[in-house]
């Protein structure tokens, strides 16, 4: 566990000061920030989420909430926050700092305030030893801050109500359902872990986070209702979550456990009834494509509505690659490159990252500034493309087809394809 970061306070000129919230959280200051966020985003829901994250979210810390304040008026004029996540990359744990709730008052825009906040944000990432950062941000803007699209986000499949067959509705009628309560947290945690096991990249959710989602539902991002499917003994054997807020007119199922075929049909029969009761014209299945609920919906004719994507920034490539080295070694061991002794260079143009392999083991990961590493298998790619490659969003061949500045020499093509294959990934919301 990293030590607490020191609260920041940096003059920006013209009476503007960049600082973090007071530690411990001051309820009045948190409320002032919530009101600011609602005003700048023109959405009272953003205030509710700010309250939930500052006051109740298990991993929130005051130094992770950054504001720019106009000292001449005492007004908050710009802000963003770092929301800590844990990811599973295969069986390796990664720490990610989501950049969230970014906003600036109109009269203060185009003055470099978000860039100033971003510099402090990236300092927090390095001080805290984070391996990556991710954001749900608007198109293009965050590329300017070193982010690149690299994991699927929301969207999904549209299932019309008439596409859910009567047999599924009848099956739902013979099944038992109820809303989840905090007493169900152990069962929900078990079911969540079972579903995440089917993904290469996921975000583990502990019991504290489950309690936050259930006990403070109105203050969470989507205010999702959590529903349970019960077995013959009345015990939870499956769940799904219905978001009250989100894009589009459909009923959004943004999460579901791993279900048997009959259980998935019964749940969709129940969801059809929920959509009808809520006046929703269709069901949007926003769970991972591999989830049984999505698979059954697709078999019934659900239409692909596409997905947006998480944007990812890697603050320190060496730190990330060292952390995932055990996964890289297993990939080598399972391939025709097993036992290789080789130097593999990732030329990111601004820096070179060198992986030293000895008999299939990653013995060192280091930076090199001495130009080409003699005799190395070298893959050149722009630094923003490291995230899509490492997280399996786009393989080496796909990146090379789209970007002329992605190239290989030596036998780097072989090593790149083995070390960084496609991965199945989906991040369920933690708040």
């Amino acid at each position: 566990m990293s030590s607490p970061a020191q609260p920041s306070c940096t003059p920006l000129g013209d009476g503007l000061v960049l600082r973090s919230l007071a530690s411990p959280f001051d309820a009045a200051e948190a409320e002032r920030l919530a009101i600011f966020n609602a005003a700048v985003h023109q959405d009272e829901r953003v205030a509710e989420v700010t309250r939930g994250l500052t006051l109740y979210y298990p991993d929130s810390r005051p130094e992770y909430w950054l504001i720019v304040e106009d000292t001449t008026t005492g007004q908050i004029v710009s802000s963003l926050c770092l929301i800590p996540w844990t990811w599973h990359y295969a069986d390796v744990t990664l720490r990610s700092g989501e950049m969230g709730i970014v906003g600036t008052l109109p009269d203060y825009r185009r003055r470099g305030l978000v860039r100033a906040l971003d510099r402090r944000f990236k300092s927090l990432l390095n001080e805290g030893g984070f391996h990556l950062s991710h954001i749900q941000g608007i198109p293009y803007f965050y590329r300017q801050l070193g982010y690149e699209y690299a994991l699927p986000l929301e969207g999904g499949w549209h299932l019309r109500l008439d596409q859910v067959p009567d047999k599924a509705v009848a099956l739902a009628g013979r099944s038992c359902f109820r809303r989840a309560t905090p007493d169900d947290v152990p069962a929900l945690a078990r079911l969540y872990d079972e579903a995440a096991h089917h993904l290469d990249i996921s975000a583990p959710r502990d019991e504290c986070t489950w309690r936050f989602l259930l006990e403070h539902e109105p203050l969470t991002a989507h205010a999702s209702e959590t529903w349970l499917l019960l077995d013959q003994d009345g015990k939870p054997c499956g769940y799904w979550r219905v978001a009250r807020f989100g894009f589009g007119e459909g009923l959004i199922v943004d999460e579901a456990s791993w279900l048997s075929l009959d259980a998935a049909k019964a749940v969709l029969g129940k969801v059809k009834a929920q959509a009808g009761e809520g006046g929703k014209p269709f069901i949007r299945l926003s769970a991972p494509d591999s989830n049984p609920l999505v698979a059954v919906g697709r078999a019934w004719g659900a239409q692909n509505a596409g997905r947006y994507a998480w944007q990812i920034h890697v603050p320190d490539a060496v730190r990330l690659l060292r952390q995932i080295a055990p996964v890289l070694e297993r990939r080598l061991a399972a391939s025709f490159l097993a036992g290789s002794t080789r130097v593999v260079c990732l030329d990111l143009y601004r820096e070179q990252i060198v992986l030293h392999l000895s008999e299939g083991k990653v013995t060192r990961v280091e930076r090199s500034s001495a130009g080409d590493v003699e005799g190395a298998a070298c893959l050149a790619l722009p630094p923003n493309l490291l995230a899509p490659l490492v997280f399996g969003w786009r393989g080496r061949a796909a990146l090379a087809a789209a970007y002329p500045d992605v190239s290989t020499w030596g036998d780097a093509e072989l090593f790149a394809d083995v070390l960084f294959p496609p991965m199945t990934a989906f991040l369920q919301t933690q708040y």
Side-chain angles (χ1 to χ4, degrees):
M1 180 64 69
S2 60
S3 58
Q6 293 298 313
S8 61
C9 186
T10 305
L12 300 178
D14 297 326
L16 301 179
V17 173
L18 189 161
R19 67 176 179 85
S20 57
L21 294 191
S23 181
F25 277 119
D26 178 274
E29 187 170 57
E31 180 61 20
R32 189 162 70 101
L33 179 58
I35 293 171
F36 164 80
N37 282 336
V40 78
H41 292 279
Q42 300 182 344
D43 186 350
E44 180 57 33
R45 280 290 307 151
V46 183
E48 295 296 319
V49 175
T50 302
R51 294 182 186 107
L53 287 172
T54 53
L55 300 177
Y56 304 109
Y57 187 63
D59 295 322
S60 190
R61 289 158 55 165
E63 63 267 26
Y64 290 165
W65 291 81
L66 304 177
I67 64 173
V68 175
E69 196 170 40
D70 189 332
T71 59
T72 63
T73 63
Q75 184 181 29
I76 297 173
V77 300
S78 186
S79 76
L80 59 77
C81 65
L82 187 159
I83 306 169
W85 288 56
T86 298
W87 288 23
H88 280 166
Y89 181 95
D91 60 351
V92 166
T93 297
L94 301 178
R95 298 187 67 223
S96 182
E98 180 185 356
M99 181 185 286
I101 319 184
V102 183
T104 303
L105 291 178
D107 290 347
Y108 290 82
R109 292 172 186 167
R110 300 187 181 278
R111 295 170 64 172
L113 300 186
V114 170
R115 289 189 181 276
L117 288 164
D118 175 65
R119 286 193 292 273
R120 177 56 190 154
F121 178 90
K122 286 175 178 169
S123 294
L124 288 171
L125 293 176
N126 286 316
E127 291 168 13
F130 287 90
H131 302 100
L132 67 144
S133 172
H134 62 293
I135 188 171
Q136 300 185 41
I138 58 177
Y140 174 69
F141 179 84
Y142 294 95
R143 277 198 168 116
Q144 302 172 91
L145 303 180
Y147 288 79
E148 184 57 65
Y149 294 97
L151 284 184
L153 170 66
E154 293 189 347
W157 297 81
H158 287 188
L159 181 66
R160 299 192 316 271
L161 302 191
D162 66 292
Q163 291 177 311
V164 179
D166 292 340
K167 288 183 178 180
V169 176
L171 192 57
R174 298 192 298 270
S175 302
C176 294
F177 308 98
R178 65 170 173 83
R179 285 283 298 274
T181 73
D183 291 339
D184 298 308
V185 163
L188 288 166
R190 173 181 55 80
L191 291 167
Y192 180 93
D193 289 347
E194 181 182 286
H197 180 72
H198 295 271
L199 298 168
D200 297 321
I201 299 174
S202 62
R205 185 186 290 162
D206 60 20
E207 291 194 5
C208 288
T209 304
W210 266 114
R211 290 192 182 280
F212 168 74
L213 292 171
L214 294 174
E215 294 176 354
H216 302 287
E217 180 189 305
L219 305 180
T220 59
H222 300 294
S224 297
E225 297 179 354
T226 304
W227 285 84
L228 296 174
L229 171 66
L230 307 179
D231 63 18
Q232 293 180 344
D233 297 322
K235 296 180 180 179
C237 61
Y239 79 87
W240 74 99
R241 305 187 76 224
V242 176
R244 295 183 182 179
F245 303 97
F247 298 108
E249 299 178 347
L251 182 80
I252 302 171
V253 177
D254 57 3
E255 185 176 327
S257 62
W258 198 259
L259 301 163
S260 69
L261 177 59
D262 284 347
K265 290 178 178 179
V267 166
L268 286 172
K270 175 65 173 179
V271 170
K272 176 180 180 178
Q274 291 176 322
E277 292 164 2
K280 302 291 186 179
F282 61 89
I283 300 163
R284 173 152 71 87
L285 300 173
S286 191
D289 285 353
S290 59
N291 187 276
L293 211 62
V294 174
V296 172
R298 292 173 64 179
W300 291 344
Q303 298 298 304
N304 187 355
R307 296 189 187 273
Y308 195 49
W310 289 100
Q311 298 168 62
I312 295 178
H313 167 70
V314 177
D316 187 326
V318 169
R319 182 189 303 146
L320 173 63
L321 291 169
R322 284 175 177 168
Q323 186 71 7
I324 66 171
V327 180
L328 304 183
E329 291 176 351
R330 283 193 293 276
R331 289 171 179 168
L332 284 171
S335 77
F336 66 96
L337 300 176
S340 293
T341 296
R342 199 74 168 88
V343 176
V344 178
C345 176
L346 300 179
D347 184 352
L348 305 181
Y349 290 100
R350 294 176 180 172
E351 62 177 353
Q352 292 179 319
I353 310 300
V354 181
L355 285 74
H356 295 267
L357 309 178
S358 178
E359 297 180 351
K361 300 296 183 182
V362 181
T363 57
R364 279 185 294 154
V365 180
E366 59 187 6
R367 287 182 177 81
S368 171
S369 57
D372 293 342
V373 178
E374 185 176 355
C378 196
L379 165 65
L381 72 165
N384 62 306
L385 298 185
L386 181 64
L389 178 72
V390 170
F391 294 101
W393 173 250
R394 297 288 183 266
R396 186 268 324 158
L399 292 174
Y403 299 91
D405 46 7
V406 175
S407 59
T408 59
W409 55 94
D411 47 11
E413 180 175 311
L414 303 178
F415 280 89
D417 291 349
V418 167
L419 291 172
F420 305 112
M423 302 181 74
T424 58
F426 203 86
L427 302 180
Q428 303 290 3
T429 181
Q430 302 297 291
Y431 58 88

